[in-house]
Amino acid sequence: MIAIMGAMPEEIEPILGHIGEYRSYAIAGNLYYQGRYKGIDLVVAYSKIGKVFASLTASVMIQHFKAKKLLFSGVAGAISEDLKIGDLIAATKLCQHDLDITAFGHPYGYVPEGKVYVESDEELLFVAREVAKEKGIDLKEGIIATGDQFIADPEKKEWIKKTFDADALEMEGAAVAVVCDAFDVPFFILRSISDAADMDAGFDFDTFLESSSKISADFIISMVEKMA
Ligand code: 4EZ
């Protein structure tokens, strides 16, 4: 069983479009869609926005649906100047930019028995590079910073860039990474840029949510095909 998750309905709709027939299960306030694509069993769901909902959904996909790999598809705000709207970035590692016990001398993003960065699975990154090569897609790779805030402020964005060396930001990736790491489930977080986390972010996000979600979802489906 491979899990594919997003945070918002728009992020998983293009995935459901590919799998055709599926069954729905309601668990703890979310709907989980189970179906098959090219002979592979899939469970697909959107978590709702933010780290808490994302952790819940990732946990259910692993514990209840026995997902052996988890792929996340969605959109993100760009930090790196290299990333333009519609570009794809695969996370090499992820961190929580809003986790702060620095009052006790710890670095930003760290709590005891945790780690600042959770690293993505190398094999899934390899599959992604192969798909990108075959399709002639310019897949970027970098650090994704996650927090429970929609960032639409150049100063906050700059702080996240300098504190975590992050290339993109969103609100679920690191939560999924922490859960998958704890359960030893290989994960892959893919995002297509919807905005630049600046003053125009709200407007750009609304404008590009659908198109960027589709770019990310199509790539994820190609990865599943490659794994079949
Ligand atoms: C969160 N997602 C945004 C959800 C916003 C509004 C109804 C991705 C994202 C993001 N997150 C795209 N751009 C972002 C930004 N500038 N800051 C945080 O994963 C829902």
Side-chain angles (χ1 to χ4, degrees):
M1 180 77 74
I2 296 180
I4 302 177
M5 71 175 277
M8 302 175 68
E10 291 86 346
E11 289 173 324
I12 65 153
E13 258 152 33
I15 307 267
L16 294 177
H18 282 282
I19 61 176
E21 248 181 67
Y22 49 79
R23 296 171 64 142
S24 315
Y25 300 88
I27 301 172
N30 291 100
L31 281 175
Y32 293 82
Y33 306 98
Q34 216 182 317
R36 255 168 175 279
Y37 183 73
K38 307 256 154 121
I40 294 194
D41 282 316
L42 295 180
V43 56
V44 181
Y46 75 89
S47 58
K48 301 190 280 261
I49 297 154
K51 295 195 294 178
V52 175
F53 284 132
S55 306
L56 172 62
T57 296
S59 300
V60 169
M61 285 173 142
I62 294 167
Q63 290 279 70
H64 183 91
F65 289 97
K66 310 290 175 210
K68 297 294 177 248
K69 290 182 189 345
L70 193 153
L71 314 176
F72 190 103
S73 182
V75 300
I79 298 177
S80 163
E81 294 285 337
D82 248 32
L83 290 169
K84 304 297 176 206
I85 286 167
D87 283 357
L88 281 169
I89 176 170
T92 51
K93 53 184 186 174
L94 302 100
C95 58
Q96 298 179 61
H97 68 70
D98 58 350
L99 192 51
D100 179 357
I101 54 164
T102 56
F104 300 92
H106 293 296
Y108 284 106
Y110 178 84
V111 294
E113 299 184 50
K115 41 197 175 191
V116 176
Y117 297 101
V118 180
E119 289 185 21
S120 303
D121 181 66
E122 266 306 320
E123 282 178 34
L124 289 173
L125 276 169
F126 181 82
V127 173
R129 288 176 197 131
E130 291 292 300
V131 167
K133 220 186 298 168
E134 276 171 28
K135 307 231 162 202
I137 293 168
D138 180 22
L139 173 68
K140 306 276 204 313
E141 294 180 19
I143 298 172
I144 292 184
T146 302
D148 283 327
Q149 302 160 357
F150 183 85
I151 306 290
D153 176 344
E155 273 177 34
K156 280 188 194 157
K157 166 174 150 175
E158 201 47 44
W159 182 85
I160 293 166
K161 181 191 171 93
K162 78 160 199 278
T163 308
F164 298 99
D165 197 27
D167 298 292
L169 54 85
E170 34 82 314
M171 303 174 69
E172 298 84 18
V176 171
V178 167
V179 169
C180 289
D181 187 55
F183 284 113
D184 225 357
V185 168
F187 68 89
F188 178 78
I189 312 285
L190 182 72
R191 298 278 183 167
S192 174
I193 300 303
S194 57
D195 58 85
D198 54 11
M199 273 137 39
D200 304 320
F203 181 85
D204 288 343
F205 175 82
D206 282 337
T207 309
F208 298 108
L209 170 62
E210 200 181 307
S211 55
S212 293
S213 288
K214 188 173 182 327
I215 291 169
S216 176
D218 287 349
F219 193 93
I220 290 286
I221 282 294
S222 299
M223 282 180 69
V224 174
E225 235 163 90
K226 183 106 213 155
M227 290 186 275

